[in-house]
Amino acid sequence: MVKFFKSVVEEMRLVTWPTAKQNRRDTAIVIVTSILFAAYLGLLDLLFTNITQIVM
């Protein structure tokens, strides 16, 4: 078990961590993309709801 945790620590030292600027940019991309997909799916839901109400 100790060997496992030592190897984890060694691997974590090799990781290249993103900068704060990269984190902010990537977070903004995720938020904007999520909002756009939510709006797209909301519009599709509205469209299909109206279509089903017209047909019925």
Side-chain angles (χ1 to χ4, degrees), residues 13-26:
R13 287 187 181 133
L14 299 175
V15 173
T16 304
W17 297 99
T19 64
K21 184 177 179 180
Q22 290 171 326
N23 274 337
R24 283 192 299 274
R25 185 198 66 214
D26 293 345

Side-chain angles (χ1 to χ4, degrees), residues 11-51:
E11 287 296 323
M12 292 302 285
R13 287 187 181 133
L14 299 175
V15 173
T16 304
W17 297 99
T19 64
K21 184 177 179 180
Q22 290 171 326
N23 274 337
R24 283 192 299 274
R25 185 198 66 214
D26 293 345
T27 300
I29 289 170
V30 168
I31 290 170
V32 169
T33 303
S34 297
I35 290 170
L36 291 174
F37 272 107
Y40 174 70
L41 292 174
L43 288 173
L44 282 178
D45 180 52
L46 183 64
L47 175 71
F48 287 124
T49 299
N50 287 337
I51 289 172

Side-chain angles (χ1 to χ4, degrees), residues 2-17:
V2 174
K3 184 178 178 183
F4 170 74
F5 285 112
K6 283 184 180 181
S7 68
V8 168
V9 170
E10 288 298 318
E11 287 296 323
M12 292 302 285
R13 287 187 181 133
L14 299 175
V15 173
T16 304
W17 297 99

